[in-house]
Amino acid sequence: MTTPAAPVFLEDLFIAQAQRNLDVGKSLATTGAEWACVVAQQAAELAMKSLLLALGHHMDRLKGPETGHGLKQIWENFLMRSQSFTEADLNLLQEAYIPARYPKSDTPQAIFAVRNVSDYLSAAERIVLASATILPNLRAIRSSLNAPAPPPKP
């Protein structure tokens, strides 16, 4: 007899992709600093959205104006603080999101070549690791909230 496969939760796919994005960002650090920053922001965004999914938020809400790509807006949905990363981490990654993709006063390559890309990657790594740690606890809480009430005592 075969055991049934464990269910795949969307939040697990999000956190797995966040880790993949972080790994790709690290590999780009020396050859494409601006893209390493974009991918770092995307890793953090996916990691944080995995937590919202674990709390029962619908996928459509994660794409809407309430969250979009704004890391601070996503985190404010939790109304809590993290011991693992700071608001400065969120700000650093969020501030890189547009300039790392679009030329303005110079090309993104030139702008981000002089920045410390490891700061962006470290900030994303703190967020991804914190999210991966929190995720199983959120799933357990959500499961207990959805469990049927125990029968009344006689």
Side-chain angles (χ1 to χ4, degrees), residues 3-79:
T3 50
V8 175
F9 295 99
L10 188 56
E11 58 264 25
D12 292 328
L13 299 176
F14 267 58
I15 200 72
Q17 187 62 46
Q19 185 59 57
R20 166 82 174 126
N21 286 6
L22 183 59
D23 292 342
V24 168
K26 288 176 180 179
S27 72
L28 289 170
T30 57
T31 59
E34 74 278 18
W35 286 109
C37 294
V38 170
V39 175
Q41 189 279 341
Q42 291 291 290
E45 181 180 329
L46 286 171
M48 292 170 67
K49 285 183 175 183
S50 76
L51 300 177
L52 292 175
L53 288 167
L55 287 172
H57 290 263
H58 192 272
M59 184 66 193
D60 289 342
R61 183 168 182 233
L62 300 183
K63 297 177 184 176
E66 300 165 350
T67 55
H69 300 287
L71 297 179
K72 285 180 68 173
Q73 294 143 317
I74 296 168
W75 193 245
E76 286 169 359
N77 277 307
F78 285 105
L79 301 175

Side-chain angles (χ1 to χ4, degrees), residues 97-144:
Y97 185 65
I98 299 295
R101 297 183 307 147
Y102 298 103
K104 192 170 181 180
S105 60
D106 206 340
T107 66
Q109 179 183 13
I111 292 168
F112 283 87
V114 297
R115 294 190 184 180
N116 190 355
V117 177
S118 66
D119 291 344
Y120 297 88
L121 293 169
S122 294
E125 187 165 36
R126 285 189 290 276
I127 293 168
V128 171
L129 290 174
S131 298
T133 302
I134 295 168
L135 189 58
N137 297 325
L138 290 180
R139 186 175 299 114
I141 291 167
R142 181 175 170 200
S143 177
S144 68

